[in-house]
């Protein structure tokens, strides 16, 4: 509801993006993350949300790119590399599952 009154608030958009991630609504999470980035492109947390949403959408390369953009803004946070690795692991699991289905 707060977004009705302040639709261009990057913190509210980021929080709603996180909520969408929790209920596996990845496209909506991505849309909110991208809106927040338009407002505040130097806020690293939004790249975290964007990367998670893209991973959920199985857009693995884009997800890694988003995490790397966040890393460029926040080099002291070790979570970026962990998220990159989680994304690579998710992609490998997806590809393995896809290969099994092709047999």
């Amino acid at each position: 509801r707060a977004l009705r009154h302040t639709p261009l608030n990057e913190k509210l958009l980021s929080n709603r993006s996180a909520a969408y991630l929790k209920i596996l609504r990845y496209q909506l999470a991505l849309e909110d993350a991208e809106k927040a980035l338009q407002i505040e492109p130097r806020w690293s947390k939004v790249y975290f949300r964007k990367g998670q949403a893209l991973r959920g959408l199985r857009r693995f390369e884009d997800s890694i790119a988003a995490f790397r953009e966040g890393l460029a803004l926040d080099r002291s946070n070790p979570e970026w590399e962990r998220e990159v690795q989680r994304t690579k692991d998710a992609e490998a699991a997806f590809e393995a599952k896809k290969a099994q289905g092709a047999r």
Side-chain angles (χ1 to χ4, degrees):
R1 283 193 297 195
L3 281 167
R4 284 189 209 136
H5 302 289
T6 54
L8 299 178
N9 183 301
E10 73 279 3
K11 290 183 175 109
L12 294 176
L13 287 163
S14 177
N15 288 344
R16 188 169 71 177
S17 178
Y20 283 140
L21 286 167
K22 290 201 179 287
I23 61 170
L24 311 180
R25 301 292 304 268
Y26 300 118
Q27 186 60 46
L28 292 171
L30 177 60
E31 290 169 12
D32 276 356
E34 288 178 335
K35 286 177 195 170
L37 282 171
Q38 289 174 356
I39 299 164
E40 185 52 67
R42 306 280 309 151
W43 190 28
S44 63
K45 181 185 268 189
V46 184
Y47 289 97
F48 188 79
R49 305 268 192 253
K50 181 179 178 178
Q52 290 179 313
L54 288 164
R55 183 173 54 214
L57 292 169
R58 297 180 178 152
R59 292 173 50 189
F60 300 112
E61 288 181 30
D62 293 335
S63 174
I64 289 170
F67 290 131
R68 297 234 188 265
E69 287 180 79
L71 172 64
L73 295 172
D74 181 18
R75 295 203 176 276
S76 65
N77 188 341
E79 281 299 308
W80 298 111
E81 287 304 325
R82 281 193 275 265
E83 290 301 319
V84 167
Q85 189 57 53
R86 283 184 189 124
T87 303
K88 289 178 179 179
D89 293 345
E91 181 177 24
F94 176 71
E95 293 299 328
K97 193 173 185 177
K98 201 164 72 170
Q100 280 182 339
R103 292 182 188 176

